Amino acid sequence: MRVLVVGGGGREHALCWKLARSPMLSKLWCAPGNPGTAMCAENVAIDTLDIAGLVAFARDNAIDLVLPGGEPPLVAGIADAMDAAGIACCGPSTAAAQLEGSKTFTKEICDAAKIPTASWRRFTDARAARDHVRQQGAPIVIKADGLAAGKGVVVAASVAEAEAAIGDFMEAGTLGASGRTLVIEECLTGPEISLFALCDGVSAVFLGAAQDHKRVGDGDIGPNTGGMGAYSPPPMFDRAMAASAMDVFIRPTLAEMNRRGTPFRGILFAGLMLTPTGPKLIEFNVRFGDPECQVLMLRLKSDLLGALVAACDGELAAFDLRWDDAPAVGVVMAARGYPGVHVRDTAIDLGDAETVSGVQIFHAGTALKDGALVNSGGRVLTVCAQANDIRLARETAYTAVDAIHWPDGFCRRDIGWRALA
Ligand code: AMP
Ligand code: GLY
């Protein structure tokens, strides 16, 4: 099969790395890719949002299957456009991608399908939102309805902080149209888990669970990021809990999406909080997580391509995936300044890091300049390791991190701390 992966982050490198091992694969492309994907796929310089360009490339190159890595092309309609061109695309339609594109939409699905989630209300008027916050008190969570690249959620510890967020989102328009409608919800507590399911519109199979580390600093402090590291499997979310979560969160969502005439095909990512009263849905995403994908691809024993084809063909009902029990840990190395303004074009020397046994390094914001590796983005590498236990996997990942010479990079030193606590 001829396959096109869309994206250029660590997630897409991991997807290409795994797909390249498939006996079903004849040729793999990645648009736009990065120096890491170039090692297992052919990079093509097409922007992830150039839907027409991607469709034309897929048609001209007789692509059998397209796998979009991130949500921007999905929300922009890549699956609909590929469908129209008769090319299989393992991702949701624009209508189904609303599960990530709109918080209100997700909350309505939760209510209709009786999915456990924080109690909520929708506001389009700042005064009404402020009145509600004063009435409810703090802590309380303020969310912009639309996509906001991780900047649309404020967990407000005080009413004043909540009111400031309402002012920023609704009146100052700091997030543009995304923040004109708000969801204000109950503040939940507990560890967070990322649950993944591969869906064919009707059926779903478990695609692994992992724990991300969203804050930039050790001990989960500092600003939110795209994710600074992940590990799998999370010991606080065992197989039985995962099986139950498939029935409580994923299958009712698929049924409700079907009932609405917008079936969900692709990867459904449930962000769950394990609260004292059980798991609750924090959000849905319509794609793999990054860096969760990187550690899950190390643990997946089955052929990914076969599973993606089954999802596109509506044949997941009788499908199962096999996993390696050995845990995997992924440490994100980021450029100094990230998640704020960060350095660029700084030299990276991977040294002997890739020769450490059990280690796999995935590229994200890297580039080649005059043949030398430099950083081009904020999150730059995911240094992953797999071993017989989580402690060893983590030690191995940090051994590789320490073999990398990159004075302008940094990472968290405590990835996986909850599993070891
Ligand atoms: P989201 O963009 O919806 O994933 O939210 C970003 C982060 O905000 C989540 O990962 C949680 O840590 C936090 N968060 C979101 N909703 C809630 C909630 N209802 N209660 C507590 N924390 C929340
Ligand atoms: N790591 C979380 C995400 O990809 O949204």
Side-chain angles (χ1 to χ4, degrees):
M1 291 188 78
R2 299 161 70 81
V3 178
L4 171 66
V5 171
V6 178
R11 168 181 52 207
E12 288 77 23
H13 183 187
L15 291 170
C16 286
W17 175 82
K18 181 67 186 164
L19 288 170
R21 277 152 184 72
S22 171
M24 290 168 68
L25 186 82
S26 52
K27 174 135 191 178
L28 183 62
W29 288 265
C30 189
N34 62 40
T37 62
M39 294 187 281
C40 43
E42 183 178 323
N43 287 347
V44 282
I46 306 173
D47 190 84
T48 55
L49 284 175
D50 178 6
I51 306 296
L54 291 165
V55 170
F57 179 84
R59 201 189 282 122
D60 294 347
N61 290 278
I63 300 289
D64 299 300
L65 183 120
V66 177
L67 176 61
E71 72 284 6
L74 290 165
V75 172
I78 189 170
D80 311 80
M82 292 293 174
D83 252 8
I87 299 161
C89 179
C90 193
S93 63
T94 304
Q98 282 296 95
L99 280 174
E100 175 155 1
S102 164
K103 306 252 185 231
T104 311
F105 181 85
T106 296
K107 286 296 198 181
E108 284 166 359
I109 295 284
C110 286
D111 286 356
K114 302 205 166 40
I115 291 168
T117 188
S119 63
W120 68 287
R121 272 185 61 184
R122 170 180 184 269
F123 293 92
T124 51
D125 175 60
R127 246 187 66 189
R130 284 200 178 85
D131 285 346
H132 177 72
V133 160
R134 287 191 204 113
Q135 216 170 54
Q136 295 291 310
I140 193 158
V141 182
I142 314 294
K143 296 186 171 183
D145 180 64
L147 289 179
K151 296 186 174 72
V153 176
V154 173
V155 180
S158 66
V159 169
E161 196 185 334
E163 290 194 42
I166 293 168
D168 288 348
F169 291 171
M170 296 187 98
E171 290 161 348
T174 51
L175 300 174
S178 285
R180 299 289 178 199
T181 299
L182 297 187
V183 166
I184 299 187
E185 63 178 47
E186 168 196 11
C187 187
L188 304 173
T189 56
E192 287 178 61
I193 283 295
S194 305
L195 168 79
F196 300 93
L198 182 62
C199 308
D200 68 5
V202 176
S203 302
V205 293
F206 178 57
L207 195 53
Q211 190 164 53
D212 186 15
H213 298 63
K214 291 192 177 171
R215 302 300 187 106
V216 75
D218 285 12
D220 293 330
I221 55 160
N224 249 321
T225 70
M228 293 299 293
Y231 70 91
S232 176
M236 68 293 281
F237 191 74
D238 59 24
R239 271 165 195 263
M241 288 174 82
S244 150
M246 290 294 293
D247 287 335
V248 171
F249 296 97
I250 304 296
R251 295 192 174 102
T253 300
L254 293 192
E256 177 61 21
M257 293 297 282
N258 246 321
R259 201 187 59 76
R260 292 174 177 228
T262 52
F264 186 93
R265 177 187 64 205
I267 294 159
L268 187 56
F269 166 173
L272 303 180
M273 196 172 265
L274 307 181
T275 80
T277 55
K280 295 205 171 146
L281 185 82
I282 293 287
E283 62 167 354
F284 274 130
N285 296 307
V286 299
R287 52 175 173 82
F288 251 127
D290 183 340
E292 291 98 322
C293 179
Q294 290 86 307
V295 291
L296 289 173
M297 288 306 103
L298 286 187
R299 291 195 50 235
L300 180 62
K301 286 206 274 196
S302 305
D303 176 28
L304 177 65
L305 184 50
L308 299 179
V309 169
C312 289
D313 291 348
E315 286 172 358
L316 282 181
F319 216 86
D320 204 11
L321 293 171
R322 288 173 307 114
W323 297 90
D324 192 338
D325 287 333
V329 173
V331 178
V332 169
M333 296 189 75
R336 186 158 41 81
Y338 177 81
V341 177
H342 58 79
V343 294
R344 269 174 203 282
D345 287 336
T346 61
I348 302 166
D349 176 1
L350 295 181
D352 291 332
E354 285 172 299
T355 63
V356 178
S357 168
V359 165
Q360 194 61 50
I361 298 178
F362 296 115
H363 289 237
T366 62
L368 288 173
K369 211 173 180 182
D370 304 324
L373 196 66
V374 298
N375 86 292
S376 57
R379 290 194 297 169
V380 176
L381 299 168
T382 313
V383 180
C384 299
Q386 192 177 20
N388 285 334
D389 67 69
I390 184 108
R391 192 176 299 275
L392 188 57
R394 168 160 128 158
E395 256 177 49
T396 309
Y398 283 114
T399 299
V401 163
D402 292 335
I404 295 171
H405 187 69
W406 181 27
D408 293 294
F410 74 96
C411 66
R412 277 181 63 162
R413 302 295 312 190
D414 65 345
I415 300 306
W417 69 267
R418 276 196 181 80
L420 295 167

